[in-house]
Amino acid sequence: MDNAEETAAGGQPWSQVTPDAARRLLVAAVEAFAERGYHATTTRDIAGRAGMSPAALYIHYKTKEELLHRISRIGHDKALEILETAASAPGTAAERLDEAVRSFVRWHAAHHTTARVVQYELDALASEHRSEIVALRRQSDAAVRRILADGVAQGEFDVPDVPGTTLAVLSLCIDVARWFNVAGRRTPDEVGTLYADLVLRMVGSGPRPRA
């Protein structure tokens, strides 16, 4: 894991978590869940990574699942914000889709460790928390579907199956968190641009000119 990615200072992505001890525990939980998986991680593992005792953890989080829920909620709120902002922006459908994919991919690459936990530990959540997160995912799906439907209506996109294409686009973007490596040859910005161009070709629109 890249420690700089999860550094609390600078506010990405945990600036809203207070106090500092709660934030440190959340960062430690992300590290542990990404490395070992949710079920193999113990509260002792998390507390140890944060430099605290297990008893200190329970002051801020009642259970390990509560930690996962907080991580998942923050991550999904951010994902929805990115996609809704792009979907509601002025411009053509192609411009909005380009921005949605570039921003969404860039976030998943820049915060790939967090994103892996957010996207791939959904089944570990308690049923009520899982339902809450699934509702957020549906809103994200709706934002992308709206852009695609607008593009079809305006003759910009050739997409016979908007729901299926929406799923394909989101799956493509999310998978970046699984393979992205900061030691690789592409930056998060470069991956975002690459994927935006691929998605625009997928929907029958040429890639946008780049400065």
Side-chain angles (χ1 to χ4, degrees):
M1 159 164 189
D2 310 299
N3 290 331
E5 175 198 339
E6 308 304 344
T7 299
Q12 288 294 334
W14 310 120
S15 61
Q16 64 186 270
V17 180
T18 58
D20 178 70
R23 184 165 56 244
R24 284 164 51 202
L25 286 163
L26 207 68
V27 171
V30 170
E31 294 175 353
F33 294 157
E35 182 180 311
R36 306 188 62 182
Y38 173 81
H39 292 294
T41 297
T42 66
T43 53
R44 185 174 295 275
D45 294 330
I46 296 167
R49 285 174 184 263
M52 301 180 191
S53 69
L57 184 149
Y58 294 112
I59 294 172
H60 303 284
Y61 302 99
K62 295 183 180 67
T63 64
K64 182 177 70 167
E65 193 273 343
E66 183 180 333
L67 267 166
L68 178 62
H69 173 240
R70 187 76 188 277
I71 292 163
S72 189
R73 179 64 198 239
I74 291 171
H76 280 88
D77 281 343
K78 182 61 179 178
L80 180 58
E81 176 190 331
I82 289 168
L83 295 173
E84 283 282 9
T85 297
S88 302
T92 66
E95 289 169 342
R96 287 183 285 139
L97 183 60
D98 177 276
E99 178 59 25
V101 172
R102 279 195 303 113
S103 299
F104 200 49
V105 166
R106 186 168 59 237
W107 190 87
H108 280 78
H111 302 291
H112 55 279
T113 306
T114 296
R116 282 201 303 274
V117 176
V118 168
Q119 298 293 354
Y120 297 121
E121 293 286 3
L122 183 64
D123 289 341
L125 291 169
S127 59
E128 66 274 18
H129 289 158
R130 188 178 189 280
S131 296
E132 174 190 316
I133 298 304
V134 166
L136 290 172
R137 290 168 79 101
R138 286 177 179 151
Q139 291 179 62
S140 291
D141 179 280
V144 175
R145 191 165 63 247
R146 188 164 79 247
I147 299 172
L148 292 175
D150 287 348
V152 171
Q154 294 158 11
E156 292 184 60
F157 301 157
D158 180 11
V159 179
D161 182 349
V162 169
T165 304
T166 299
L167 177 60
V169 169
L170 288 172
S171 297
L172 187 69
C173 296
I174 287 168
D175 193 57
V176 170
R178 182 184 57 80
W179 62 259
F180 186 81
N181 186 334
V182 292
R185 64 189 184 92
R186 287 192 172 97
T187 67
D189 282 337
E190 289 169 340
V191 177
T193 297
L194 171 65
Y195 273 52
D197 287 350
L198 289 172
V199 167
L200 286 173
R201 293 179 192 276
M202 180 194 303
V203 300
S205 175
R208 294 183 60 200
R210 305 293 173 185

